Amino acid sequence: MNEIIIGIDLGTTNSEVSIIENGKVTVIGDGDNKMLPSFVGLNDDGHIIVGETARNQYLVYPERTIKSIKRIMGQDIQVTLADLPYSPQEISAIILKRLKAIAEDYLGLAVSKAVITVPAYFSDAQRQATREAGEIAGLEVMRMINEPTAAALAYDTQGEEARRILVYDLGGGTFDVSVVNIESSVVEVLSSHGDNQLGGDDFDQQIIDYLVEHIKNTHEVDIREHSRAMARISRAAESAKFVLSEQPYVQIDEEYLLEHDGAPIHLSLELSRMVYEELIEDYINATLDAVHIALKGAKMSSSDIDEVILVGGSTRTPCIRERLLNEFGIEPHSEVDADLCVAMGAAIQGAMIAGQQVDTVLVDVTPYTYGTSAMGFLDGLEYPFLFVPIIHKNSVLPNRKTEAFTTYHDGQEAVDITIYQGEDPDALNNIKIGEFRVEGLRDVPAGNIITLTLGLDLNGILQVSAQEKETGLEKNITIKNALSQFESGALETAKQRINSLFGQIEPGIIEQEFIVEPLAPEIIAAQKLISKAEALFDKVSSEDKEDMVDLIEVLTHYIETKDIAELEKPTAELNDIIYYLES
Ligand code: AMP
């Protein structure tokens, strides 16, 4: 057997090691954790500690712990650990040695060869230092490959066709964006740009500042002077950030943070995703600027890009996906774990060098987007059926996401929720797969928050639940065949049609609430016209409004009875009025 070549992602925040086993890529964990925090320290007894223990220690004993050594790789400076100087290569070697040991433990044999990834922007000196770190750790570095190259390899080991891929990599402390060309597993980096001082740590810092400010305002204490309390706040901030990647709100509770004037200080605060997104907006804008610079470097525009790949833990932040979707008009890929895909690509490269066969690493994803409709703006006009995606196409299954909505009218006591499958910004052009009503809401002004949770499992079962945030009042539905809803819906309709020809419709075959009947274009046109007319109500005379209301009533009736032929006349009349009002 050829000697195994391990793949290593030597990251600023976390590092990982991966191998190919029976053609499959495996990221090897240190215990349950597949990511080894890139922290090195000396403990109370003077022993070297690496990974999670060192990371925990950093919060309390930063003077005995080193983080982010990657930032100074290739520079002629030394770091001090318990009064002794070390080169960046030596500290990196300690991390590499730990990764090597993790692989050896798992495999039960000695390992001496590795492929290590480096950022595309790394200079010769930085690459040389990385190679030396490998040697110090007892690893022959068979090849160093660029991180975006590794990510592209993890996504495509077999494709023959040439594709241009934008790799957006936002980790804990660095951001890189690269345009790569991939063809027959040969990956070429066409351009690269980034900021090695921007990442998820900055997002944490924004939340930390927000919490510190809150404590200052409510308790008149500057918690920054209390390092142990700050350590807890840092942890709480990162945990809150994780929750906000899945949910629109997070409750942050930290009891007995410290004592002030003899009284304990507790932190209890709700943070919304909306506020969080405002806190990090400048950073996201900066990454988008870098994306444009990278595109320019490759002499391309957004429309030349065939695929967008998300790499790095921070790309789980939902607004990043949204911004990239808007920019490129294509759903970014995240089906290979964003934290692990660079290490996987390194192992794939290692296997290629060793002449091993590798299977594709792709996992189960949803081929459709699922969401609901809400009042919003479409083509600059207020529109009641704006599609709001909740679970995006290409998301890994199983998947569960929550979004918040608000009631539109004062005293609104019910909301009707419709679930759609599709990609069109106009919900009515997507496939309706379920609807339900939540009643008995509190009698409060408009703005009552309703959270909507969608959970899609591997079998295509979609669990939908809506909840009034303040009271917990909840309603659920299950859509049994969401992944093939269109096909099964069409199938059932055909079955019903054939059965009716024979005069023997079997009752109960169809779950009426969730059946999908593709709507006739005339009905869709009439529905759109009605919303357009309603949007004009504020601007028209009462006489015109009365005519419009009458026509809307007639149209609504024929939409309900699905009397397509009868729709033509009132549709034309309402169209004329709108045309006249708009001209
Ligand atoms: P990496 O350097 O790729 O390992 O990414 C680490 C960064 O990703 C850290 O800043 C983490 O806090 C961040 N991160 C990991 N998971 C999530 C998540 N679910 N939502 C937001 N940020 C995350």
Side-chain angles (χ1 to χ4, degrees), residues 449-499:
I449 297 167
I450 312 291
T451 59
L452 182 63
T453 303
L454 264 58
L456 185 62
D457 75 5
L458 280 166
N459 303 315
I461 295 172
L462 184 68
Q463 303 275 2
V464 186
S465 72
Q467 199 178 57
E468 184 178 32
K469 182 164 173 283
E470 278 302 312
T471 60
L473 171 79
E474 188 176 301
K475 180 98 189 261
N476 305 292
I477 58 162
T478 300
I479 298 168
K480 292 203 186 98
N481 203 5
L483 282 177
S484 55
Q485 194 69 26
F486 181 65
E487 286 88 346
S488 80
L491 203 76
E492 289 296 356
T493 316
K495 211 163 162 187
Q496 194 186 34
R497 206 172 45 235
I498 300 299
N499 278 342

Side-chain angles (χ1 to χ4, degrees), residues 13-14 35 171-172 200-201 238 241-242 245 312-314 316-317 339:
T13 323
N14 293 298
M35 292 195 283
D201 296 349
E238 193 181 24
K241 177 179 80 171
F242 293 163
S245 289
S314 300
R316 298 203 182 91
T317 312
D339 289 306

Side-chain angles (χ1 to χ4, degrees), residues 170-188:
L170 187 61
T174 54
F175 168 66
D176 298 297
V177 53
S178 308
V179 179
V180 302
N181 189 62
I182 183 164
E183 191 169 0
S184 310
S185 297
V186 177
V187 189
E188 185 192 0

Side-chain angles (χ1 to χ4, degrees), residues 58-76:
Y58 177 79
L59 295 168
V60 214
Y61 300 113
E63 68 284 0
R64 280 208 253 128
T65 323
I66 291 166
K67 68 177 249 191
S68 306
I69 193 69
K70 188 173 175 177
R71 287 194 196 284
I72 55 164
M73 282 299 268
Q75 292 183 34
D76 197 12

